[in-house]
Amino acid sequence: MKKLSELRQHILNILEASEIPLTVEQIRERLRLKPNLSSIYRSLLYLEETGKALSVSFGTPVRFYCSYREHPAHYLFCKRCQSIQAFHVCFAQEIQDRLELENNFTITDHVFYFTGYCQRCRPFEKIQL
């Protein structure tokens, strides 16, 4: 297997240390050296293609990246401020088992998230309704 470049390894370390997915800009802020964004995007693409990282959009134009974990990822995403909170209750196993049986399909992973409004943003959304 091809060895990870220094930049790819640093990015992977940043993703593994974060409990929540990060944007490219957030990843760049955490890097000691500041490579151009295209280098970071190429590194993230490689990490995704090799199964070391995955991305999710939360229904926005922005992609968020996290390391691939043994346990599936579960998040709460605020549609207003785009804050992300991880939660560790996995109730999807029963659904997964049923889907696999009914569809003759082997599920290897999932990313599960809810969108809504965090405690700080909820009052602003009530005003706009």
Side-chain angles (χ1 to χ4, degrees), residues 1-2 6 15 19 31 45 49-50 63 75-77 81 83 88 92 106 110 116 123:
M1 177 180 245
K2 188 176 173 183
E6 187 176 346
L15 295 177
E19 187 171 287
L31 288 167
L45 179 61
E49 288 173 347
T50 57
R63 298 215 59 81
Y75 304 107
L76 301 173
F77 180 79
C81 71
S83 66
H88 303 287
T106 301
H110 69 267

Side-chain angles (χ1 to χ4, degrees), residues 3 8 17 22-24 26 30 36-37 40 48 55 61 66-68 81-82 88 93 99 101 103 106 110-112 125:
K3 185 179 175 189
R8 290 173 181 166
L22 303 170
T23 65
V24 170
Q26 291 169 322
R30 295 173 188 197
N36 61 43
L37 290 176
I40 297 172
E48 279 192 281
S55 66
C66 58
S67 68
Y68 179 81
C81 71
Q82 297 193 345
H88 303 287
Q93 190 62 51
L99 287 171
L101 183 64
N103 296 287
T106 301
H110 69 267
V111 175
F112 191 82
E125 292 308 312

